[in-house]
Amino acid sequence: QSMNLKELALLSIAGQGGKMAAEVIAAAAVMQGKHTYVAATLAGVRRMAPNTQVVRIADSPGIPSGELALMPSQLMVTSESLLKSIDELMRRTIASFHSGVLMVCTDKTPEQVDFPLSFEGTVATADAEAIFSDIVGIKPPPFCIAALGLYAAATGTLEYELIRKAAAERLHGFRPSVIERNLAALDAVYKSTKVSKNVKLVRKQTKEQYETYRPPVERGSFRLLGASSENALAFWRDKLP
C-alpha cells in the first residue's frame, strides 16, 4: 500500500498493438519518476491470437514480478467481445478483477457495458478502433496506442502529455505523417472518453464459475481464441492474413 501500486491488465488481440501500448505506459511512468514493471503473455505471433499485457506502476522500487495479473486495479479490453473470450488466461485475468477502473473500447456508453462479474468502481468507454480507423486509415487497425487516450482519461494515473510524448518516441522511425495521425487519434480518443464513476454491478456468476467456463465450440467451425464464440460479428478478424 505504501508503494501506491497500480496494476493494469491490458487484454488485446495480436496485431492491435497491445504490447507497444504497454511499453508506452511504462515509458511515460518512468518520465513521471515512477517505477514500473511490464510483462506480456503472447499466445502466438500471428494476428488474432489473444494477448495479455500487465503493467505495474509504483512510487517506490520493489514491484512484484511475474507475467500473470496479481490483483489488477485497472482493466482495459480492446473489445467487449473479449469479456467472453474462450482463452484461459484472459478469463483468469478478468476473474481476478473486481474493483477499480474498467476500460472498454466500444461505441457503447459505460452504462451499456455488460461486464460478467460483480464489480465496483469506474467504467469508461471510447470507440478507439473507429476513431483510429477514421484518422489513420490502416486496416486492420493497430489502435492500442490511440486507446491510451481512454486509459489517460479514465485513470489519471499518469500525466496525459507524458503519455503523448512517450507514444511519439515509441513511434520514432515511422513516417512523420503516420506519427501525426496516431497522435491525433490518441487526442481524439482522450477527448471522447465517457466515464461513469461509483458504479456497482451485482452478478450471480461467481469468479470461479466464470474462470472455469468454456463456451461450446461447434465442430469444424472457425473460432478465434481472442474473440467470443457466441458472436461471430464481434470478431476483430474473420480470416488469417
Side-chain angles (χ1 to χ4, degrees):
Q1 197 172 30
S2 61
M3 295 176 63
N4 190 25
L5 178 65
K6 303 289 186 184
E7 182 177 50
L8 166 69
L10 170 56
L11 308 184
S12 64
I13 299 170
Q16 291 180 333
K19 182 173 177 289
M20 183 181 291
E23 292 168 352
V24 169
I25 292 175
V30 172
M31 290 178 185
Q32 197 166 318
K34 304 283 188 180
H35 296 263
T36 186
Y37 177 90
V38 183
T41 302
L42 310 179
V45 295
R46 277 189 174 274
R47 292 180 184 270
M48 302 183 303
N51 289 345
T52 300
Q53 291 80 204
V54 175
V55 184
R56 301 186 185 104
I57 299 172
D59 292 337
S60 57
I63 298 176
S65 60
E67 296 180 353
L68 302 181
L70 302 175
M71 192 177 294
S73 55
Q74 302 167 347
L75 174 66
M76 177 186 283
V77 294
T78 59
S79 169
E80 191 176 5
S81 67
L82 294 181
L83 296 175
K84 298 179 181 180
S85 171
I86 61 175
D87 179 66
E88 293 183 15
L89 179 55
M90 279 195 173
R91 295 186 78 87
R92 187 187 311 167
T93 300
I94 293 168
S96 68
F97 177 72
H98 54 82
S99 64
V101 183
L102 171 64
M103 295 156 281
V104 184
C105 296
T106 177
D107 61 355
K108 294 182 178 180
T109 66
E111 293 75 17
Q112 293 173 321
V113 171
D114 185 19
F115 191 67
L117 298 167
S118 295
F119 166 80
E120 290 188 37
T122 297
V123 180
T125 61
D127 199 355
E129 181 175 358
I131 290 172
F132 179 94
S133 297
D134 289 343
I135 295 176
V136 184
I138 299 175
K139 299 286 186 177
F143 64 91
C144 279
I145 283 186
L148 294 183
L150 168 60
Y151 168 81
T155 68
T157 301
L158 300 172
E159 296 175 15
Y160 177 67
E161 288 305 318
L162 293 181
I163 292 176
R164 200 177 188 281
K165 180 180 178 181
E169 291 184 359
R170 183 61 181 82
L171 292 168
H172 178 73
F174 288 87
R175 294 194 308 273
S177 61
V178 173
I179 297 175
E180 290 173 7
R181 290 199 297 270
N182 269 272
L183 295 179
L186 175 64
D187 292 338
V189 172
Y190 179 70
K191 294 174 182 176
S192 69
T193 295
K194 302 178 182 67
V195 180
S196 182
K197 297 183 178 181
N198 301 315
V199 174
K200 186 172 183 179
L201 303 177
V202 179
R203 301 287 188 259
K204 291 183 179 180
Q205 183 175 216
T206 67
K207 65 178 185 178
E208 289 78 14
Q209 290 171 331
Y210 174 82
E211 185 177 341
T212 57
Y213 174 66
R214 298 293 175 267
V217 178
E218 298 176 11
R219 192 179 190 87
S221 64
F222 180 71
R223 288 293 182 265
L224 310 182
L225 287 176
S228 163
S229 68
E230 299 175 7
N231 182 10
L233 297 178
F235 290 172
W236 188 63
R237 276 189 165 199
D238 58 4
K239 61 183 179 180
L240 293 171

